[in-house]
Amino acid sequence: MRRSYAAVAAVVALVGLAAGLCASGQSVDELIARNLESKGGLARMRAIQTMKQTRRMNLQGMDSPVVVFAKRPNLVRQEISTGGRLIVMAYDGVTPWIVNPHSGSNSAIQVMGPQADSIRQDSDFDGPLVDYREKGTTIELVGTEALGMGKVHHLKVTSRRGLVQHYYLDTATALEVKLVTETDTGTIEQELTDYREVEGIKIPFIIRTIANGVKQGEIRVEKVEFNIKIDDALFRMPKGQN
């Protein structure tokens, strides 16, 4: 059954090392180091305190403008304009919440369960690969595999909450070309292409989403802004809502 636009949009938006060696002899830590260097380097990444992305999302045949705000260490807010209404999904570092007028209410509600865990995971400003041990994340090098016309290093990333994601790093660039998230209802795949440099940081400008083998839509990034002023209040669940 085809999921509702808002439900799919909610998924789209927003310990130790299981040691292993790939065919080229690279360890998990070496692959992660290459990945971070390819993105622009850890020092440059950590100099970024806030980010705003302006996007266009075509999902299930509907084209919608999207704005994503993020702030260290783990604050995130995504706004999707669709059908003349605004869907807001946010996390203030404590409470993940959503406002979805398409559900029949304009009130903010707290997100619970697996979706909340996914929002918390995605709110990590640097992503799960940076300082993964300190975060209680386990990363396993599954191996080197063929993907499309090229080859990728396959990393299995398991968060301390048990959320499992699969990262596929291009063997030539070490950049992510595919992410797969395991959910209770199946898998969500994201194909990342058209990497461009913004202030020394590599950003994928096209992200295609596939749910359980069926293409759901595509995100095209229009603009990326770093270190702009963003008030913490933007991420908080509106008072009086529950």
Side-chain angles (χ1 to χ4, degrees):
M1 181 180 295
R2 185 163 119 164
R3 288 191 265 177
S4 71
Y5 180 93
V8 175
V11 175
V12 173
L14 247 194
V15 172
L17 168 68
L21 293 177
C22 62
S24 62
Q26 296 177 91
S27 69
V28 167
D29 286 350
E30 288 170 335
L31 287 173
I32 292 174
R34 283 190 60 209
N35 170 264
L36 299 180
E37 188 62 31
S38 293
K39 289 178 180 176
L42 190 54
R44 185 177 282 121
M45 291 170 61
R46 283 179 165 157
I48 298 172
Q49 301 301 309
T50 66
M51 179 180 67
K52 177 184 178 182
Q53 281 197 15
T54 304
R55 306 169 168 180
R56 298 291 302 186
M57 178 171 66
N58 187 285
L59 194 61
Q60 296 181 350
M62 298 178 63
D63 190 66
S64 304
V66 178
V67 181
V68 180
F69 301 90
K71 185 175 183 178
R72 285 190 183 277
N74 59 348
L75 310 182
V76 66
R77 177 185 175 106
Q78 178 171 268
E79 301 176 353
I80 306 172
S81 299
T82 172
R85 299 177 177 181
L86 186 67
I87 300 172
V88 179
M89 291 166 283
Y91 180 59
D92 63 0
V94 178
T95 304
W97 55 276
I98 185 172
V99 176
N100 180 13
H102 294 280
S103 68
S105 173
N106 290 316
S107 297
I109 60 172
Q110 182 174 345
V111 178
M112 308 294 285
Q115 187 180 349
D117 290 339
S118 180
I119 291 173
R120 292 187 183 98
Q121 176 84 352
D122 293 340
S123 70
D124 187 336
F125 195 88
D126 289 319
L129 302 186
V130 176
D131 297 331
Y132 68 93
R133 288 187 181 89
E134 289 82 349
K135 298 170 183 175
T137 297
T138 301
I139 300 183
E140 174 189 355
L141 176 56
V142 179
T144 302
E145 306 171 4
L147 182 64
M149 299 297 291
K151 291 186 176 182
V152 293
H153 299 303
H154 177 183
L155 299 179
K156 180 181 179 181
V157 180
T158 306
S159 75
R160 64 181 179 85
R161 294 178 178 272
L163 179 67
V164 177
Q165 294 180 301
H166 299 267
Y167 278 62
Y168 297 85
L169 312 183
D170 183 89
T171 55
T173 66
L175 294 170
E176 295 95 329
V177 294
K178 182 179 178 180
L179 303 178
V180 178
T181 301
E182 298 181 10
T183 72
D184 290 343
T185 58
T187 60
I188 301 295
E189 300 180 25
Q190 292 177 305
E191 298 174 350
L192 292 71
T193 60
D194 191 19
Y195 275 87
R196 304 181 194 178
E197 192 170 296
V198 180
E199 297 182 27
I201 299 294
K202 291 284 183 60
I203 301 288
F205 270 62
I206 298 179
I207 304 171
R208 296 183 180 90
T209 301
I210 300 168
N212 297 323
V214 179
K215 182 177 178 180
Q216 299 293 320
E218 180 177 280
I219 292 172
R220 289 183 175 267
V221 177
E222 297 181 336
K223 186 178 182 180
V224 179
E225 302 169 80
F226 294 135
N227 291 327
I228 63 172
K229 186 176 181 180
I230 303 178
D231 195 295
D232 287 358
L234 184 68
F235 306 96
R236 297 191 192 112
M237 187 170 174
K239 290 183 179 180
Q241 307 281 358
N242 52 52

